[in-house]
Amino acid sequence: RPQNPRLESLKTRIPDAARNSGSGLLDRVRALTTWLSSSWEHTPPSIATQCTPWDPETVLEWGPAQRGHNGQRPIVNCIYYGAAFVSAAHAVGIPARCAVFTNQQPDGWWGHFGAEFWSAEHDKWILADPNTDALFMRAGEPMSLPEVQNALPDLEQYIAFGPGIEEQRKNPRMVEWLNDGYMEGRCFRHRAVWYRSDLLSHPEY
């Protein structure tokens, strides 16, 4: 809900570069992906003990602190980068939606969770990965998910990482994941849109 007061609360956490409506859309999106990618360590279920609620303000507390309910280490993996990005984008007036990806099996190793944002200038949804601080560009133009899929398996040449990737590369698990298949786009072969985007107004869902 655009008038939900929690959007204003979330906006106070967001970098100035993303809030500046006079800047270009891609610059504002990049400010969001870099901020989120640099904010916490990707933490999968294998090393954590509890799920983080999808509420973005909770994500932004638990993720950087690596501490959740009763002091337990929380899961804050790709799902939470994507969910936080979508709500943050909404808070600064950028239409966005969560998107879930997989190679073949829904529960396989090559699942991933990211986001898409709408560009009226380009008349399409554009893929963004706030976990890796990645946009996908061809000849200076941002790519939609179908365009990314059409580029497989030679995706590496189209990945435009932002500075947040350096923070992610401090994590050996992420380096292994990037090198073993992300760079060729293995996880982007199938996509589903996550239609719920009221993560701020209805965190109980």
Side-chain angles (χ1 to χ4, degrees):
R1 301 203 311 269
Q3 304 308 315
N4 191 289
R6 296 198 65 216
L7 284 172
E8 289 300 317
S9 174
L10 178 59
K11 191 184 295 186
T12 65
R13 298 172 173 261
I14 295 172
D16 290 342
R19 295 201 305 262
N20 183 3
S21 59
S23 300
L25 176 62
L26 294 185
D27 290 338
R28 297 174 70 204
V29 167
R30 175 65 84 189
L32 288 176
T33 60
T34 298
W35 165 57
L36 291 169
S37 184
S38 304
S39 289
W40 70 82
E41 177 185 348
H42 177 281
T43 311
S46 59
I47 62 171
T49 56
Q50 62 179 315
C51 289
T52 300
W54 285 37
D55 172 65
E57 291 189 302
T58 304
V59 173
L60 290 168
E61 292 292 338
W62 289 20
Q66 291 286 289
R67 180 181 173 88
H69 186 64
N70 284 341
Q72 298 178 72
R73 190 173 188 182
I75 299 167
V76 272
N77 57 9
C78 56
I79 293 170
Y80 302 97
Y81 292 98
F85 172 86
V86 167
S87 289
H90 291 169
V92 296
I94 299 172
R97 64 191 186 188
C98 298
V100 60
F101 310 108
T102 186
N103 180 10
Q104 291 180 337
Q105 302 177 32
D107 59 348
W109 170 249
W110 285 104
H112 193 39
F113 200 98
E116 296 170 289
F117 63 95
W118 177 256
S119 169
E121 175 187 354
H122 300 93
D123 193 32
K124 64 184 179 183
W125 290 95
I126 296 169
L127 178 61
D129 189 346
N131 186 167
T132 62
D133 192 10
L135 296 174
F136 301 82
M137 308 289 293
R138 177 162 46 197
E141 291 292 311
M143 299 170 70
S144 66
L145 194 279
E147 290 168 335
V148 166
Q149 291 174 324
N150 288 337
L152 301 179
D154 301 317
L155 187 61
E156 184 172 359
Q157 61 184 307
Y158 303 113
I159 303 176
F161 287 118
I165 189 61
E166 298 309 318
E167 196 66 30
Q168 293 293 324
R169 282 181 170 144
K170 294 178 182 178
N171 183 339
R173 295 185 307 276
M174 285 297 296
V175 172
E176 180 182 3
W177 187 76
L178 286 164
N179 293 339
D180 284 355
Y182 183 88
M183 302 300 286
E184 67 185 50
R186 190 179 300 177
C187 60
F188 294 117
R189 290 180 180 166
H190 301 283
R191 182 272 307 268
V193 174
W194 199 276
Y195 284 101
R196 295 206 70 91
S197 59
D198 52 357
L199 308 179
L200 270 171
S201 53
H202 285 290
E204 71 275 16
Y205 294 157

